[in-house]
Amino acid sequence: MEDDAPVIYGLEFQARALTPQTAETDAIRFLVGTQSLKYDNQIHIIDFDDENNIINKNVLLHQAGEIWHISASPADRGVLATCYNRTSDSKVLTCAAVWRMPKELESGSHESPDDSSSTAQTLELLCHLDNTAHSNMACVVWEPMGDGKKIISLADNHILLWDLQESSSQAVLASSASLEGKGQLKFTSGRWSPHHNCTQVATANDTTLRGWDTRSMSQIYCIENAHGQLVRDLDFNPNKQYYLASCGDDCKVKFWDTRNVTEPVKTLEEHSHWVWNVRYNHSHDQLVLTGSSDSRVILSNMVSISSEPFGHLVDDDDISDQEDHRSEEKSKEPLQDNVIATYEEHEDSVYAVDWSSADPWLFASLSYDGRLVINRVPRALKYHILL
């Protein structure tokens, strides 16, 4: 089988929530949450066996409601958080909770249960992120590289920092802040920066991006009109502490240096409809993944604003004399940004894309019709980056 061929899995339910199992760094594993009005919702644990190019799945019941967002603990493989819809007094609320999966499903296995006996298992509720004051949880983000005890939720116009205590069975509100201003202010998404000792979070509301200091819960930067329309998602460059990517309904992906927010460092205009998701590769920050309502996933090579703008840095000792002259010429020119590949395996809006936390060359994308596609960075490019 061709190494770069995609692997496709159908969930049989509509779905928009996807995350790698962040704490699992050996097995390739993704979690997908469904959106079904008629049936009990589910979380599908997707194990990818890359030697045989096959997907094994286990199903967890999520009876609380339709899943809008899912995120996995960075420290505990068995713990995850979801934002989900619940109807109360004929009003739809979006709530958030922290869950634990059954012990035997915590670590990636290449064993798929026999379909005849594969009954869906239940999630254990650890705690609710208490939602009495706010009606809509947009997303939940974990402190990166943390011990899985700190979590931020965005609800309406509030940013809430929680401490998970008593083995995550209790969420204590540590601090919070609110968006001030006219109109209906509502967060759409947020990311926790892995830099600055994990004291910074970026959020999106309407067309604005903001940075927050989690110690004082005060705003540190604000990029108004970052996009022409609603900002859908953002992500931090894992290697360059001031670099942030954003995407939105203006079909654009923009890259920012948060020290100078007057204009983006770079703009990508490859999608033809809303861009729902942007994700930096965790190891090679020139690789940027985006998913859109145009049903396409685009892998871009943003090398000019990466941590290695001249390509892979080679030791002088590694280069023989005849190559010396060539490499000197080459090293003066920064490499050009380009689209590496456009993936068209989806037929519906791609609501989520994410990189594996175990294999830096592998990523998953999810479209609303419940189609999950696993793809690899093209081999030629992988070796070009590595060698």
Side-chain angles (χ1 to χ4, degrees):
M1 197 174 194
E2 166 61 73
D3 198 5
D4 292 340
V7 179
I8 298 174
Y9 168 71
L11 268 89
E12 299 160 29
F13 289 104
Q14 291 176 326
R16 66 196 305 152
L18 166 74
T19 182
Q21 188 183 18
T22 319
E24 174 59 79
T25 51
D26 296 327
I28 297 164
R29 193 169 230 221
F30 292 94
L31 309 175
V32 182
T34 66
Q35 288 209 314
S36 165
L37 283 169
K38 284 203 299 233
Y39 304 100
D40 276 341
N41 281 280
Q42 302 175 345
I43 290 174
H44 288 221
I45 302 175
I46 305 296
D47 283 303
F48 181 59
D49 172 355
D50 58 339
E51 279 172 27
N52 302 304
N53 241 30
I54 53 171
I55 280 173
N56 297 310
K57 74 155 194 324
N58 283 283
V59 176
L60 295 167
L61 283 182
H62 184 280
Q63 285 151 326
E66 297 175 87
I67 302 169
W68 286 87
H69 185 265
I70 185 168
S71 54
S73 162
D76 187 331
R77 290 186 300 200
V79 174
L80 58 124
T82 59
C83 297
Y84 58 90
N85 275 4
R86 181 171 71 82
T87 311
S88 165
D89 305 329
S90 70
K91 213 172 106 187
V92 178
L93 302 175
T94 311
C95 307
V98 180
W99 311 86
R100 179 176 285 287
M101 61 177 74
K103 199 92 186 126
E104 65 271 21
L105 295 183
E106 278 182 18
S107 57
S109 75
H110 291 325
E111 299 295 308
S112 215
D114 295 336
D115 277 341
S116 55
S117 66
S118 68
T119 47
Q121 304 207 46
T122 322
L123 283 163
E124 176 195 351
L125 173 68
L126 292 177
C127 61
H128 288 285
L129 299 181
D130 182 35
N131 204 13
T132 42
H134 327 292
S135 58
N136 283 304
M137 288 279 187
C139 74
V140 168
V141 288
W142 299 80
E143 179 184 35
M145 284 107 71
D147 55 5
K149 299 278 183 276
K150 277 195 166 64
I151 201 166
I152 273 181
S153 66
L154 300 177
D156 296 331
N157 62 327
H158 304 280
I159 175 168
L160 309 162
L161 173 62
W162 304 88
D163 276 331
L164 297 181
Q165 298 173 358
E166 312 295 328
S167 315
S168 303
S169 63
Q170 193 184 6
V172 177
L173 187 60
S175 55
S176 64
S178 302
L179 287 174
E180 307 293 338
K182 292 195 284 285
Q184 254 222 308
L185 296 168
K186 220 169 102 171
F187 286 115
T188 46
S189 70
R191 293 294 270 183
W192 200 319
S193 170
H195 309 293
H196 314 288
N197 290 331
C198 297
T199 56
Q200 294 188 11
V201 170
T203 60
N205 69 286
D206 200 19
T207 60
T208 303
L209 296 173
R210 294 168 204 272
W212 305 82
D213 186 322
T214 56
R215 295 163 297 188
S216 57
M217 276 304 196
S218 55
Q219 204 170 283
I220 30 188
Y221 54 84
C222 178
I223 310 174
E224 288 187 355
N225 302 313
H227 286 261
Q229 294 177 50
L230 186 72
V231 180
R232 292 277 173 193
D233 195 26
L234 51 152
D235 198 20
F236 284 98
N237 184 313
N239 299 326
K240 295 182 77 172
Q241 58 179 340
Y242 298 105
Y243 274 60
L244 176 69
S246 63
C247 62
D249 287 0
D250 58 1
C251 313
K252 293 176 184 168
V253 181
K254 296 188 181 186
F255 298 87
W256 306 90
D257 180 335
T258 57
R259 294 165 300 185
N260 175 20
V261 296
T262 47
E263 57 187 324
V265 183
K266 205 97 188 170
T267 301
L268 275 180
E269 304 190 39
E270 298 295 335
H271 285 289
S272 57
H273 209 281
W274 305 346
V275 188
W276 282 89
N277 240 174
V278 58
R279 287 289 177 270
Y280 274 105
N281 184 290
H282 312 302
S283 309
H284 308 284
D285 58 275
Q286 67 266 50
L287 301 178
V288 177
L289 207 52
T290 51
S292 159
S293 292
D294 63 11
S295 310
R296 294 183 307 162
V297 173
I298 294 180
L299 176 61
S300 301
N301 193 8
M302 302 306 295
V303 66
S304 74
I305 52 171
S306 74
S307 53
E308 293 187 345
F310 296 95
H312 194 62
L313 303 175
V314 188
D315 277 350
D316 292 344
D317 309 344
D318 298 346
I319 304 171
S320 63
D321 289 344
Q322 67 203 22
E323 287 177 5
D324 224 3
H325 184 64
R326 264 211 333 251
S327 71
E328 264 179 37
E329 279 179 14
K330 192 179 139 205
S331 67
K332 289 196 186 81
E333 283 294 309
L335 299 171
Q336 292 295 304
D337 298 339
N338 62 324
V339 168
I340 296 160
T342 300
Y343 299 90
E344 310 213 346
E345 290 90 18
H346 293 283
E347 294 166 22
D348 205 342
S349 290
V350 178
Y351 282 145
V353 292
D354 224 325
W355 294 96
S356 160
S357 48
D359 180 341
W361 307 106
L362 195 127
F363 58 90
S365 53
L366 176 68
S367 50
Y368 190 52
D369 53 7
R371 182 177 299 179
L372 179 85
V373 180
I374 292 181
N375 266 301
R376 294 179 177 89
V377 173
R379 257 184 311 179
L381 179 82
K382 169 177 168 177
Y383 295 125
H384 180 74
I385 289 174
L386 285 179
L387 300 177

